[in-house]
Amino acid sequence: MEQKKELNFTSPSFGKRLKGMLGVDFYRLFHTPLFYIFLAIAAIIPAMILGMTGIENAQGIVEPMYTNTWQVIAAQNPLYVVSSIAEYANMNMVFIFGGIMVSIFIGHDYKSGYVKQLFTTHPKKQDYMLSKTIIGAFSMTCMCITYLFGTILAGLFVGASFSVNIGSLICAILGKMIMSLGWASLFVFLNIIFRKYFAISIASSFFFGTGILIVGAAAILGNSSILNIFLYGSSVFACLSSNILTLVTCLIVSIAWSVIYNILGTHILNKSDVY
């Protein structure tokens, strides 16, 4: 009977704690100018890529880097080894900006002393990890949406082709949005590690956000499907030849890494001085 009462108390208590923390974080997010600045940047990037980039051919004539609008969203096939900027300059760049925003968001918590007050009233560290992960994932998903709108407008403006397999395109876009959860958990975890070193936390978010480690591994392994188990690998896996299997893979990887990073981050917070 005593155990039953404890379970009944714990379950709603967790939901209430998380709801309260999310309420504060969402309020802060919507009142943070940086959030809207990054949304605007995400919308402008496709226009810059489509309208201002080009490659000089053998005759010395500069041709557009992209001939199809949707190439700015994702590569045609999973390309883990980046041989040119054209293969990387797509929606994956949103994750880099998302990482920087998470760094600034969490950095402000520690710089302002907010965490000292927070962990006095909310001692459960996993609530903090979950709240920041959800906020980060939401922010990056919003950036993906503005990036998509920016891509469509830019494609119409420059007259690029819109030819595509619509099913694969939808799977690619949804796949990248799903990966926002895994990326957010990684960035929150990195910022917990470097919570006292703001510059290093931003640098680490940028470094891992570019997927340099996976690109290096791909240089050795080639375009191996085993790389799909990593965040960057699955983000690249969401391409213009995606299908339902792609979405399932992205979902499994994103949830798995989210669980792993949240457990590790919570452990660090529980064992360390968080102030």
Side-chain angles (χ1 to χ4, degrees), residues 9 94 146 167 210:
F9 172 77
V94 163
T146 59
T210 59

Side-chain angles (χ1 to χ4, degrees), residues 34 38 41-42 45 92-103 140 143 187 205-206 209:
L34 182 67
F38 277 161
I41 290 175
I45 288 175
N92 284 356
M93 291 187 291
V94 163
F95 302 130
I96 299 176
F97 290 104
I100 295 174
M101 198 187 80
V102 169
S103 295
M140 281 182 268
M143 291 182 204
F187 293 136
S205 294
F206 180 84

Side-chain angles (χ1 to χ4, degrees), residues 41-263:
I41 290 175
I44 293 172
I45 288 175
M48 295 178 63
I49 295 174
L50 281 174
M52 302 175 63
T53 57
I55 300 177
E56 186 174 328
N57 60 22
Q59 289 74 37
I61 301 174
V62 177
E63 298 178 341
M65 183 178 294
Y66 297 97
T67 56
N68 188 290
T69 300
W70 305 119
Q71 289 175 306
V72 184
I73 295 292
Q76 184 62 42
N77 299 295
L79 297 171
Y80 304 105
V81 182
V82 181
S83 59
S84 71
I85 189 62
E87 295 174 353
Y88 185 81
N90 54 47
M91 193 178 279
N92 284 356
M93 291 187 291
V94 163
F95 302 130
I96 299 176
F97 290 104
I100 295 174
M101 198 187 80
V102 169
S103 295
I104 296 174
F105 208 69
I106 294 180
H108 181 267
D109 285 352
Y110 283 89
K111 185 178 180 180
S112 65
Y114 170 69
V115 290
K116 185 174 183 179
Q117 175 187 358
L118 177 66
F119 290 136
T120 300
T121 57
H122 297 79
K124 298 294 185 180
K125 307 302 189 301
Q126 69 265 26
D127 297 351
Y128 182 82
M129 291 292 301
L130 284 171
S131 181
K132 290 298 184 286
T133 297
I134 293 172
I135 288 294
F138 174 81
S139 300
M140 281 182 268
T141 300
C142 289
M143 291 182 204
C144 286
I145 293 173
T146 59
Y147 186 101
L148 175 61
F149 287 145
T151 298
I152 295 173
L153 292 176
L156 291 172
F157 181 77
V158 302
S161 171
F162 280 86
S163 176
V164 72
N165 181 312
I166 189 64
S168 294
L169 174 64
I170 293 175
C171 286
I173 294 172
L174 291 179
K176 292 186 183 298
M177 289 182 177
I178 288 172
M179 294 309 301
S180 294
L181 178 64
W183 280 110
S185 64
L186 168 62
F187 293 136
V188 172
F189 173 67
L190 290 174
N191 281 274
I192 292 301
I193 295 177
F194 301 114
R195 59 192 178 277
K196 297 182 180 179
Y197 307 97
F198 182 61
I200 296 178
S201 68
I202 290 183
S204 65
S205 294
F206 180 84
F207 177 80
F208 284 96
T210 59
I212 292 176
L213 294 179
I214 302 303
V215 172
I220 300 174
L221 299 174
N223 288 326
S224 172
S225 59
I226 194 173
L227 295 175
N228 292 336
I229 66 175
F230 297 98
L231 287 175
Y232 179 80
S234 292
S235 299
V236 174
F237 189 48
C239 60
L240 296 181
S241 56
S242 297
N243 51 38
I244 297 299
L245 177 61
T246 304
L247 286 181
V248 174
T249 300
C250 289
L251 181 62
I252 292 174
V253 171
S254 192
I255 292 177
W257 284 103
S258 180
V259 171
I260 292 171
Y261 288 134
N262 272 274
I263 291 175

